Every structure is written in structure tokens, then in C-alpha cells.
Amino acid sequence: MNNDALEVLLQRLQKLHPRFIDLSLERLLRLLKKLNNPHLRVPPIIHIAGTNGKGSTLNFIKQILIENNYKVHCYTSPHLESIEERFIVSNKKLKKQKLFKILKHIELINNKEQITFFEIVTAAAFYCFNKYKADFLILETGLGGRFDATNVINDSILDIITPISYDHEEYLGNTLKKITNEKLGIVKKSSSIIIGKQTKEVKNYILKKLKNNVNKKLFFGNNFNILKINKKKFSITKNNKKLYFNKPSLLGEHQIENATIAIIAIYEIKKMGYKIKKNLINKGLVNASWPGRLEVFHLNNQPIFLDGAHNTAGAIQLSKFLKITNQKTWLIFGMLNNKKITLFLNSLKKNISGVVAIKIPNQKNSFTTKEIYNVCIKLNIICIKKQNIYTAINYLQKINNLERILITGSLYLIGKVRRLFI
């Protein structure tokens, strides 16, 4: 089997997409029933929803569990370079050939019925996770929570809500309360709930919505918090006890917040009877990796940062990183045209020298360089238009005394850049 065969299969599956999407789990449940309901026979589930930080939190939890000699399945989305990245099976990325065989089988069982691409890929994930043994399954929602394809499960041991902000309003609603309500749709009767750092509005709404739930509830700021961060360590409080940990390898203070959520999750897992060693929590934090999130590569001795931030909350976290590190920074920027580009760039404005606008390769829904330029001019941001990523990098590397290049605005863009340079 070659890459072309898998690509042709994926294109066929995308054509099954319904003309009109009704937010429902019925299509997927019908397919899963034909597959003998594999989603009901998987390892204990940790389910993660939120707007930002889902993937990083998942990877911290995964790596800590792996360091403690557990086998873990994971399902994430979207992928950066190749679709098999979405499937971690017993601690390893699923091989392309195995994925091809599973998708072929599910295509046959689906029998040309209308179904979204994410739904049929999620069916493949559950089919795979049922087939291979593991101690845990960690699921990251794709979009929302209540009607997200991963939410066909009946039970979970942990439900985690990472920071919530505006994104995908066309599907989730145009207020934070509506978006939060969708995210809380993953909460199961049997689970413990961990709530990450939220704005006051979101936190108060969650407290109100979960008031009558009998679940154990752990809130950032109430039941746990970050105390202090230095160069090598950070400390947290948990039930009024101080705990000290190694700083994670992932850059940015927001990753300390994600790591803290993961630590609280691990301690909850420990309470369930699983053996967890403190030194291996530290090892997991240091060894965890998540490509495309303040990832650095070097080109002609020039450090180039990649970050897949694509909403305002992500831009704010990026801006904090740029401010703390206090280096002259230019953006190479591309974004999908359903995103809030003005709010994104305005959040970064004070901590950048300028923007080099590019169109995301092979993405018809990308903002054009002219559209990006016009937004920058309105915000009084210096902007240069370039044809592609090569000409953008070449242009910036010729600027004297340039210390840093940051490529951001879209995970699709970051995936393209990684395929070219890493």
C-alpha cells in the first residue's frame, strides 16, 4: 500500500459528507451498531473538551501514564501532517497500512451512507481501540462536546474541561454560555470532573450548571492552583498542600496550566487504585511533546517558532510568551477565513515588529495576502505580502538583527511548514 492509495480512500470518505449537517450522533451510532458497538468495549476513558489546551493536556497525561508503565490509546484531531497522527494505539502511532485496512473495512460496512468525515474516522478509532488492549483511552473532542463524535461513549472515569473561549461559533453558538453548555455535554454521571482555568463568566456558569451534579468536581482556583513558576520548577496547591514539579518541556506559561490540569488528573487516577510514582510524573512532564505548539526548528542558524494558535485566546497566550521572552519578533501569518483575524492580530500587535502575509497552501478557505494586509493596515501593523512560505522566510532572514520568526495563525499552515522543513 502506498500513500496515494490512502489518499484516494480518504477522498472517497470525504465525499460521503451530508449536504446539510444536523448536529446529532445518530449517523455515527448507526454505523457503530453495524460494527458491533466497539465504543462500548474500550478501556477506561478520560474525555477532554475545551477551546484551547486540549491536545497539550492530553499529551501530558499520556506521557505520565506511559512513564508509569501503562498502555494508552489516544484519539486527537486535527492532524498536522498525516492522518495516522490522530491514532495512538498502545502507546504507538498507528501504522499507515493498518489504518488503511481499518478504513477500508469501515467504508464497506458503511455502504455509502451519508456521514461526516470526522464521524467515520471516529468510528475507525473506536474499532481500533476495541481491537487492541490498553489500560486507558484518552479522547479529545473535535468540536464542541455534546454532539461531538467522541461523545457516543456511555461512561468515563474523568471528564476534563480546558479553558473555554470563542471558536466555531457557527456550530456552538455566539455566546460563551452557549459554547460552554456544548462543552459540558461530555460530562457523564460516573466521572470525576476537572475544570481548567476559566474566565469569571465561564467559571460561574459552569458552577451553576454543575451545582446539582453528584460528580466529584475539581476547579482551577478553588481546589487547585499554581503557586510559583521559576526557571526549572513550578509549584501548585492541591487541597491546601504544596506540590513541586519540574517545568514541562513545552514552552509558554499556558503549558504550566495545562500540565497542572494533567497532574490533577493523574492524582485522581491514583486515587482509583492505579500505581503512580511522583518522580515519573516529573519525567512525563519533561518528556511530553506536542508538535506545532511553540515548536522550534533552525534554518541557517535562525530559530523559527511554529505555533498553531488560530483563535483569540491562543493569540493572547502567544502574546504573553512574546512579552516575557522580550525578543524582536516578526510573524509569518496565514489563517482560515472563518476565524476572527482582527481580534487575533490585535492581541499580538504590541509584541510584534510586523507581519509577513501568506496564503495557506492548497486551502481555498484561506485569507488572501491582500485581505491580511488590509487588516494589518487598519491595526497599524507593518505588513509585507509574500507568495509562499519560502519567500517569506527568505525575506525575513535578510532583515538585520532579526532574532526570531514566528509562524502562526492555523494548524493547517503549521502542518504544511513541518512537512517542508522538519
Side-chain angles (χ1 to χ4, degrees):
M1 192 226 49
N2 55 37
N3 288 343
D4 290 341
L6 178 58
E7 188 58 37
V8 169
L9 172 57
L10 294 175
Q11 287 173 8
R12 279 204 311 272
L13 296 179
Q14 286 169 341
K15 289 177 182 177
L16 298 173
H17 201 287
R19 181 175 293 182
F20 302 104
I21 297 181
D22 58 320
L23 290 179
S24 152
L25 298 176
E26 294 306 314
R27 286 181 300 269
L28 179 54
L29 286 169
R30 281 197 298 270
L31 175 57
L32 288 168
K33 188 175 182 179
K34 293 178 183 178
L35 292 165
N36 199 22
N37 293 318
H39 62 299
L40 303 181
R41 299 187 309 280
V42 292
I45 295 169
I46 301 163
H47 206 179
I48 305 176
T51 306
N52 291 297
K54 298 191 298 292
S56 298
T57 301
L58 180 150
N59 273 278
F60 285 128
I61 296 171
K62 178 196 76 174
Q63 194 60 43
I64 293 168
L65 290 173
I66 289 173
E67 300 294 348
N68 280 277
N69 293 318
Y70 291 108
K71 286 190 174 181
V72 186
H73 296 330
C74 296
Y75 182 53
T76 63
S77 63
H79 59 270
L80 286 178
E81 298 176 62
S82 58
I83 193 168
E84 59 268 25
E85 294 168 25
R86 301 186 184 205
F87 308 83
I88 299 297
V89 181
S90 301
N91 302 349
K92 295 179 181 179
K93 184 171 74 173
L94 186 64
K95 290 183 179 179
K96 196 182 292 285
Q97 189 168 3
K98 280 188 179 179
L99 177 58
F100 177 79
K101 287 181 179 178
I102 290 169
L103 286 173
K104 279 279 289 183
H105 173 67
I106 290 175
E107 180 188 33
L108 181 66
I109 298 297
N110 185 63
N111 195 27
K112 298 182 180 180
E113 290 285 330
Q114 286 193 346
I115 192 165
T116 72
F117 182 73
F118 186 64
E119 287 167 349
I120 202 165
V121 170
T122 302
F126 283 121
Y127 181 83
C128 187
F129 298 147
N130 168 243
K131 198 173 181 182
Y132 298 95
K133 289 184 178 181
D135 300 293
F136 299 94
L137 166 58
I138 315 178
L139 296 174
E140 176 193 1
T141 58
L143 189 154
R146 186 162 60 112
F147 292 118
D148 186 82
T150 61
N151 207 33
V152 291
I153 59 170
N154 288 343
D155 298 298
S156 52
I157 58 170
L158 276 178
D159 294 324
I160 298 172
I161 309 293
T162 65
I164 293 171
S165 60
Y166 288 100
D167 205 4
H168 301 294
E169 292 98 311
E170 65 272 32
Y171 297 108
L172 306 180
N174 57 5
T175 69
L176 282 176
K177 286 183 179 179
K178 287 180 180 178
I179 294 169
T180 302
N181 196 58
E182 292 301 317
K183 307 288 184 185
L184 290 175
I186 70 163
V187 170
K188 302 293 183 292
K189 291 179 181 179
S190 57
S191 67
S192 294
I193 309 167
I194 299 173
I195 308 295
K197 189 175 183 181
Q198 308 292 347
T199 63
K200 187 176 180 180
E201 178 188 355
V202 170
K203 185 176 180 180
N204 287 341
Y205 183 74
I206 293 174
L207 283 166
K208 182 180 177 182
K209 287 289 291 184
L210 298 182
K211 184 179 179 180
N212 296 322
N213 287 58
V214 296
N215 309 60
K216 181 177 182 181
K217 298 176 279 286
L218 298 167
F219 279 78
F220 191 107
N222 293 18
N223 308 97
F224 63 97
N225 212 336
I226 298 169
L227 279 179
K228 192 175 181 181
I229 304 169
N230 59 36
K231 286 186 178 179
K232 293 185 178 180
K233 300 277 185 180
F234 71 102
S235 57
I236 69 172
T237 55
K238 178 183 174 292
N239 298 327
N240 298 317
K241 290 183 180 179
K242 288 185 182 179
L243 299 169
Y244 297 86
F245 298 95
N246 293 340
K247 280 183 74 173
S249 54
L250 301 182
L251 298 174
E253 280 201 14
H254 59 292
Q255 296 295 3
I256 303 290
E257 295 172 9
N258 296 331
T260 300
I261 296 172
I263 290 165
I264 299 302
I266 290 295
Y267 274 98
E268 285 303 300
I269 289 168
K270 186 177 181 181
K271 286 180 182 177
M272 296 171 193
Y274 295 95
K275 293 181 180 179
I276 302 288
K277 294 182 179 179
K278 171 74 181 296
N279 66 310
L280 296 179
I281 295 178
N282 278 320
K283 191 174 180 182
L285 294 175
V286 172
N287 289 341
S289 63
W290 193 220
R293 281 75 177 177
L294 282 174
E295 181 182 14
V296 188
F297 74 98
H298 288 78
L299 191 63
N300 302 325
N301 296 318
Q302 169 80 55
I304 299 177
F305 285 70
L306 303 176
D307 195 273
H310 53 274
N311 55 39
T312 308
I316 290 169
Q317 294 297 346
L318 264 185
S319 191
K320 288 179 182 177
F321 171 76
L322 298 179
K323 185 177 181 180
I324 291 169
T325 51
N326 194 28
Q327 284 182 273
K328 185 178 179 182
T329 304
W330 272 78
L331 298 189
I332 296 176
F333 179 77
M335 181 173 263
L336 295 179
N337 58 21
N338 64 339
K339 301 297 180 182
K340 294 184 175 180
I341 183 172
T342 302
L343 289 174
F344 187 97
L345 289 173
N346 195 49
S347 300
L348 288 163
K349 177 181 173 180
K350 290 181 180 178
N351 295 304
I352 60 173
S353 300
V355 169
V356 178
I358 61 169
K359 193 175 186 298
I360 303 172
N362 305 317
Q363 271 292 337
K364 63 180 181 180
N365 295 324
S366 169
F367 279 113
T368 65
T369 55
K370 184 177 180 181
E371 288 169 330
I372 296 171
Y373 178 85
N374 289 340
V375 172
C376 287
I377 296 306
K378 287 180 183 178
L379 294 173
N380 292 317
I381 298 172
I382 297 170
C383 184
I384 308 296
K385 294 180 287 185
K386 290 294 175 182
Q387 189 175 2
N388 55 51
I389 192 66
Y390 293 107
T391 55
I393 291 175
N394 287 338
Y395 169 78
L396 288 178
Q397 288 191 326
K398 290 176 182 177
I399 296 177
N400 292 328
N401 302 317
L402 182 67
E403 295 183 14
R404 180 165 55 196
I405 297 171
L406 169 62
I407 305 174
T408 190
S410 168
L411 282 167
Y412 293 99
L413 174 61
I414 299 307
K416 306 284 187 185
V417 175
R418 291 190 95 256
R419 276 192 288 272
L420 292 171
F421 295 105
I422 297 180

